[in-house]
Amino acid sequence: MSIVFLLIIVFIIGIIAAVLKSPQFIGHQGEKFVNNKFLSKLDPEHYSLINDVMLLNSSNIGTTQIDHIIVSNFGIFCVETKAYAGWIFGRESDKYWTQSVNYHKYRFFNPLRQNYGHVKTLEKLLISLGVSTPIYSFVAFPDAEELKITGTSAVGYARDIVRKIKGYTQSVLSNEDVAKIINIINQANIVDENIRKEHTKKINELRDAPPQVRYKKKYRRRYREDETIFDDNDDFDGDDDFGDYDDDCDDDDF
């Protein structure tokens, strides 16, 4: 076997390893896990699941990407998935949350704010076409070892999010309304690969995402219930008021 052939093999293996370890690949795997293991188990008679939706918006980027939209007789549910392992710390009002894994801490943008932009984009789309209905925001961490999030009940493990969604039992949309909304979302969803790649490129330039860790890995360290590791005191009120929010990017950018 020639040296050149060996070098080619090593190069190909390196590329594959880099892809498998990339945040984009791991994030996509997390979304698939939440979809296949939990959200897809919702009764299809009452819940319709649309995954990986990209919509136009008025942000600096011009597009926003939503992991999961569930359209049901009980309202619309917008779910953001974060495939982060370890311990996750945060408050609803924090600009950044903290991932602690393998004795290292990483900050990442508060996903509630991120999903707030998703909800508002979807809301504007529907209102522009004469549809007004409740849209509920949830954030799922399918791989976190522990979630230490305060000030909100909209964050949980994937199974928790499904349970919360099932907790909405008052019918607010007819089957005809549900079908209309699904059609609107599918029509507006951007599927052009070039636009999607450009969106991902711009997002990566705006944010410094923490390393995402492989599924089901166990961590030895335990934290006291009262341990505080927050390093960001820039709060906002918890009533979806982002008027005073000032950062390098808009909530809608994500």
Side-chain angles (χ1 to χ4, degrees):
M1 187 178 294
S2 68
I3 295 178
V4 174
F5 182 74
L6 285 174
L7 290 175
I8 292 174
I9 295 297
V10 170
F11 179 72
I12 293 174
I13 292 174
I15 292 177
I16 294 174
V19 170
L20 293 178
K21 293 179 180 180
S22 69
Q24 289 82 7
F25 179 83
I26 297 174
H28 182 62
Q29 291 300 105
E31 292 165 21
K32 286 178 62 178
F33 176 79
V34 170
N35 175 33
N36 297 335
K37 186 72 174 178
F38 296 98
L39 298 183
S40 62
K41 305 300 182 183
L42 290 167
D43 185 355
E45 185 176 344
H46 297 291
Y47 302 91
S48 295
L49 177 61
I50 311 173
N51 297 307
D52 192 21
V53 176
M54 180 172 288
L55 302 174
L56 292 173
N57 68 1
S58 58
S59 69
N60 296 331
I61 291 178
T63 52
T64 193
Q65 194 165 11
I66 306 173
D67 291 340
H68 314 283
I69 300 175
I70 301 159
V71 185
S72 76
N73 300 112
F74 316 109
I76 299 174
F77 304 92
C78 191
V79 181
E80 174 69 18
T81 295
K82 291 300 180 188
Y84 297 162
W87 288 55
I88 307 298
F89 296 83
R91 293 180 293 248
E92 179 188 37
S93 58
D94 290 334
K95 184 186 299 184
Y96 296 99
W97 288 0
T98 301
Q99 176 196 36
S100 183
V101 59
N102 292 340
Y103 300 97
H104 296 285
K105 298 173 184 176
Y106 309 94
R107 293 204 316 171
F108 62 98
F109 190 72
N110 182 339
L112 287 173
R113 294 190 174 206
Q114 179 181 356
N115 213 34
Y116 174 84
H118 297 164
V119 168
K120 287 303 178 182
T121 297
L122 183 56
E123 186 179 76
K124 289 176 183 178
L125 169 66
L126 296 177
I127 290 176
S128 69
L129 296 171
V131 177
S132 179
T133 187
I135 303 177
Y136 305 101
S137 171
F138 291 104
V139 177
F141 285 88
D143 299 305
E145 184 183 6
E146 290 286 343
L147 291 175
K148 300 296 183 181
I149 308 299
T150 61
T152 178
S153 61
V155 179
Y157 302 101
R159 62 181 180 273
D160 300 326
I161 300 306
V162 171
R163 176 176 51 80
K164 292 173 188 294
I165 290 173
K166 289 182 176 180
Y168 291 84
T169 57
Q170 182 177 350
S171 182
V172 295
L173 292 172
S174 67
N175 290 336
E176 291 77 15
D177 292 331
V178 169
K180 179 180 179 180
I181 291 170
I182 292 172
N183 183 61
I184 289 173
I185 295 173
N186 284 332
Q187 290 293 324
N189 186 21
I190 299 171
V191 296
D192 184 278
E193 286 300 322
N194 291 327
I195 296 177
R196 283 176 169 260
K197 288 179 181 178
E198 185 64 20
H199 173 89
T200 301
K201 178 182 176 182
K202 290 179 179 178
I203 288 297
N204 289 337
E205 291 172 353
L206 280 174
R207 68 185 179 190
D208 183 19
Q212 294 171 301
V213 184
R214 283 291 183 193
Y215 299 129
K216 311 308 177 188
K217 189 172 181 179
K218 299 301 181 181
Y219 306 94
R220 294 181 179 178
R221 185 177 177 188
R222 291 293 183 271
Y223 294 90
R224 302 189 313 272
E225 288 293 327
D226 61 345
E227 182 171 1
T228 301
I229 66 170
F230 302 116
D231 56 352
D232 188 294
N233 294 317
D234 188 3
D235 296 342
F236 71 103
D237 69 46
D239 297 324
D240 287 341
D241 179 7
F242 293 87
D244 296 328
Y245 174 57
D246 182 22
D247 196 12
D248 296 333
C249 52
D250 298 329
D251 300 303
D252 288 345
D253 282 342
F254 298 95

